[in-house]
Amino acid sequence: MAYRLPPLNTLRLFEASGRHLSFKLAAEELNVTPSAVSHGIQVLEDWLGVSLFARGHRSLALTVAGQAYLPRVRETLEALASATEAVPGRRPSGQLAVSVARTFGMRWLIPNLPRFNRLHPEIQVSVDTATRLVEFPRDGVDVAIRMGRGDWPDLIATRLTHESLVPVCAPAMAATISSVADLADKTLLHVVIASEDWAAWAELAGIHGMDLERGVRMDAIHMALEAAAQGLGVAIARLPLVQAELESGRLVPVLGPPRPCQSAHWLVTSRESLTRPEVAAFCAWIKSELVSPDYAVNS
């Protein structure tokens, strides 16, 4: 049968504009100009014979027709994209968007990504370290690497690492620390966004009565580790992500042994995304690099 359809590109423009409620943001996402988005929306509205947006001086809102049309267009585009990616025998030859926790990205993924590129030079990888929730596949992300406990409903999650907490500091400072009491005159370096920091380490080590509030607070683990290496104080590090500094001697573990923590880095994707050969290739590669068969976990 002959399908009576508007120009398909105008539907992409409409979906992005409706999601962002902004022609400018839609243009940035689709790598076109705002005027191209505005023109495309006008073409679609003329084809439909109805307005989809109420345009204000500095605002954009969906009309009643637009509100009804947007979810159906989105579902259709997602179904079309999934069907295209799942064509049997399709070779990996496209884009791969990876959203990764910043620390893992800096300390493991980026240093090791050249090996993936050598195996799959036909796959163009983009890496996003923005801290945000990801909705597959709507957000344009194929696979995510996140810190957590693997409890993401309806997604496929594979634990990549077993991680442990250990206090670390510069060698000169480490020479003065042999017990928890020696921390009394040391600066504690805190990472405010860390799910497990000094309080978690103290609980795991069975240490009570320690003043955990004092010290310097930072918003990124790599800043805390650099501050520790420079002699500012003692930070809580995660093994194996700090292994390079320990092997080089820039940081020294103290008050061991390392304490296994509850959270870890997980590889997360959707079943639909996994049908893409690019995603399957990346997942197979990173699992072969990191995951031992005895602790791969799927949710």
Side-chain angles (χ1 to χ4, degrees):
M1 61 178 293
Y3 293 100
R4 186 172 180 268
L5 298 172
L8 291 181
N9 190 54
T10 66
L11 297 180
R12 293 177 66 241
L13 299 175
F14 168 63
E15 191 280 329
S17 299
R19 177 160 32 87
H20 291 294
L21 291 179
S22 167
F23 290 164
K24 179 181 178 182
L25 294 178
E28 292 176 356
E29 176 182 309
L30 299 175
N31 197 29
V32 296
T33 65
S35 62
V37 174
S38 179
H39 175 72
I41 297 299
Q42 188 62 60
V43 169
L44 179 59
E45 290 177 326
D46 290 345
W47 194 93
L48 292 170
V50 64
S51 294
L52 299 172
F53 291 100
R55 298 161 174 82
H57 177 58
R58 292 183 177 276
S59 64
L60 190 69
L62 288 163
T63 63
V64 172
Q67 292 175 4
Y69 196 37
L70 180 61
R72 301 296 297 274
V73 169
R74 180 175 295 152
E75 291 171 5
T76 300
L77 291 176
E78 289 177 354
L80 182 59
S82 296
T84 301
E85 300 294 352
V87 172
R90 193 181 79 83
R91 296 178 59 188
S93 59
Q95 305 288 323
L96 176 70
V98 180
S99 176
V100 60
R102 184 169 301 172
T103 299
F104 189 92
M106 292 178 60
R107 294 183 164 271
W108 193 90
L109 182 60
I110 297 303
N112 291 284
L113 196 56
R115 288 205 293 275
F116 178 77
N117 290 339
R118 288 193 292 271
L119 287 172
H120 297 282
E122 73 282 5
I123 300 178
Q124 300 299 312
V125 180
S126 61
V127 179
D128 175 11
T129 61
T131 304
R132 60 190 175 95
L133 294 175
V134 172
E135 185 174 355
F136 299 100
R138 188 170 300 168
D139 287 345
V141 172
D142 299 308
V143 61
I145 299 172
R146 289 288 185 268
M147 174 74 73
R149 301 185 182 183
D151 50 352
W152 293 282
D154 302 321
L155 296 175
I156 299 175
T158 301
R159 187 171 184 165
L160 294 176
T161 57
H162 277 314
E163 299 181 22
S164 300
L165 303 178
V166 61
V168 296
C169 58
M173 185 175 292
T176 69
I177 300 174
S178 59
S179 69
V180 174
D182 294 327
L183 293 177
D185 62 345
K186 306 296 189 297
T187 300
L188 302 185
L189 303 176
H190 300 266
V191 181
V192 295
I193 63 171
S195 59
E196 294 174 284
D197 201 49
W198 278 103
W201 173 81
E203 181 177 352
L204 291 168
I207 296 170
H208 305 285
M210 180 179 173
D211 181 5
L212 300 172
E213 297 301 318
R214 61 185 178 83
V216 177
R217 285 164 172 75
M218 302 180 181
D219 66 353
I221 183 62
H222 63 273
M223 291 182 62
L225 295 178
E226 182 60 29
Q230 295 295 332
L232 179 60
V234 187
I236 293 294
R238 280 181 172 262
L239 290 171
L241 297 182
V242 75
Q243 196 64 42
E245 285 87 345
L246 298 184
E247 291 177 355
S248 70
R250 292 191 73 228
L251 290 172
V252 176
V254 296
L255 304 176
R259 307 293 175 172
C261 49
Q262 296 180 339
S263 60
H265 284 90
W266 294 71
L267 178 70
V268 187
T269 190
S270 66
R271 297 187 186 280
E272 294 78 10
S273 296
L274 199 55
T275 62
R276 296 190 60 215
E278 293 87 353
V279 175
F282 180 83
C283 291
W285 169 75
I286 198 168
K287 289 176 185 178
S288 70
E289 293 278 338
L290 283 174
V291 178
S292 297
D294 60 339
Y295 66 84
V297 180
N298 288 320
S299 64

